[in-house]
Amino acid sequence: IVLDIKPKYFVIENVRGLLSCPMSHRPHDMRGPDYPDLAYDELPGGALFFVLNSIQKAGYAYSFNLYNAANFGSPQIRERVVIICGRDGKKPPFLIPTHSDGEKLGLKKWRTFRDATADLKKHRYIHFPEKRLAYYRMLKEGQNWRSLPEEMQQEALGNAYFAGGGKTGFLRRLAWDKPAPTLVTHPAMPATDLAHPDEDRPLSIEEYMRLQEFPDTWLLAGPLIEQYKQVGNAVPASLGLAIGKLIRALTSGEHIEQIP
């Protein structure tokens, strides 16, 4: 649709997996020396290549980057691919950060979970199973399953203990003085737990709203679990604002200062 109506600018936003996902997946048991080499659309990044190629063929210039919402004032580490596309044929500049980890380049310091939520009084939330709560009572803020006694770690994770990867989302308590991790659509799934720094509960929907920068006055429809899903799928307001400001500056011909 966007390539049919040809606006001056358009924006594509997606998860970081867009950088590596293929356009077409070939099963792993059909790869190797006895099979043809992977085609372009089967290679990592094939989907992104297809998107960028389509944009370019339509006469648009583009820039894309993996942006962390915390660098734009969100109290949340949330990485998203953003592609800015312009009809004038000039490569658009990157988004302008306002915050950084440790006040680099004279920017403000990242906002934290405490900054965003400390004054909240009312909380509505789902509950952890009692079995998981037993482990949470042994953990302090900023810790996860790796801080449990070594002899309990396998018991706490079950079969997931033998899976690959860092498994940092298991039995995870947030830290007060860091940005929150990426909000997910359910704060009490075993592999992506989002537990309060001190209290034995998942994050509340009110904390979710603050971390995605929604006004407290907004009303969410549906059951609580659907409300988590709606907010967890959203783009933080600060990142949306940074995109809007850049597009406005481009359309009005303003000078855009670039950060190295």
Side-chain angles (χ1 to χ4, degrees):
I1 291 173
V2 84
L3 296 183
D4 284 342
I5 62 176
K6 293 185 166 40
K8 285 184 179 179
Y9 295 95
F10 67 90
V11 179
I12 297 173
E13 175 268 341
N14 214 305
V15 297
R16 69 172 297 153
L18 178 64
L19 297 176
S20 58
C21 83
M23 189 68 183
S24 175
H25 175 71
R26 187 191 297 185
H28 288 276
D29 60 2
M30 295 179 65
R31 306 182 189 194
D34 297 330
Y35 294 93
D37 292 341
L38 293 175
Y40 272 124
D41 62 355
E42 295 174 322
L43 292 170
L48 179 62
F49 177 79
F50 174 83
V51 170
L52 298 179
N53 202 35
S54 301
I55 291 167
Q56 203 165 23
K57 281 182 178 176
Y60 282 83
Y62 61 82
S63 64
F64 73 93
N65 212 333
L66 180 68
Y67 294 103
N68 182 352
N71 290 334
F72 301 92
S74 172
Q76 181 188 172
I77 302 289
R78 192 179 186 92
E79 293 184 321
R80 289 295 181 268
V81 176
V82 178
I83 310 173
I84 311 284
C85 309
R87 198 180 63 196
D88 60 3
K90 298 175 185 174
K91 179 181 177 179
F94 295 120
L95 300 180
I96 313 302
T98 54
H99 294 65
S100 71
D101 181 14
E103 301 178 275
K104 295 168 188 165
L105 302 170
L107 302 175
K108 297 176 188 174
K109 197 171 181 181
W110 277 353
R111 292 183 63 220
T112 67
F113 180 75
R114 189 190 303 276
D115 294 336
T117 67
D119 64 333
L120 280 171
K121 300 291 190 287
K122 176 189 170 188
H123 295 280
R124 293 174 297 130
Y125 52 87
I126 56 177
H127 297 274
F128 286 129
E130 186 58 37
K131 184 178 178 182
R132 228 180 299 166
L133 280 176
Y135 300 117
Y136 268 119
R137 293 182 183 115
M138 305 173 69
L139 297 173
K140 298 176 181 176
E141 63 149 322
Q143 294 184 334
N144 63 20
W145 67 277
R146 292 184 184 277
S147 298
L148 292 171
E150 199 166 326
E151 65 274 11
M152 295 186 69
Q153 292 178 4
Q154 184 178 336
E155 173 192 301
L157 265 64
N159 290 335
Y161 181 81
F162 301 101
K167 301 185 281 288
T168 54
F170 284 89
L171 294 168
R172 172 175 55 183
R173 278 198 184 276
L174 273 64
W176 276 113
D177 295 315
K178 292 181 180 179
T182 301
L183 295 190
V184 291
T185 56
H186 191 306
M189 296 298 283
T192 53
D193 269 358
L194 291 166
H196 187 272
D198 302 323
E199 298 175 26
D200 296 330
R201 62 169 177 82
L203 296 185
S204 66
I205 191 63
E206 289 77 18
E207 288 162 337
Y208 253 54
M209 289 178 69
R210 286 285 185 90
L211 294 171
Q212 290 280 48
E213 304 170 283
F214 289 174
D216 291 347
T217 53
W218 277 26
L219 300 177
L220 301 175
L224 184 58
I225 200 67
E226 290 299 320
Q227 294 179 27
Y228 276 118
K229 190 173 181 180
Q230 291 172 57
V231 180
N233 273 329
V235 174
S238 290
L239 181 55
L241 181 64
I243 294 169
K245 281 183 172 179
L246 181 70
I247 297 298
R248 185 178 66 180
L250 287 168
T251 55
S252 60
E254 296 171 33
H255 172 69
I256 300 171
E257 192 71 41
Q258 286 291 277
I259 300 277

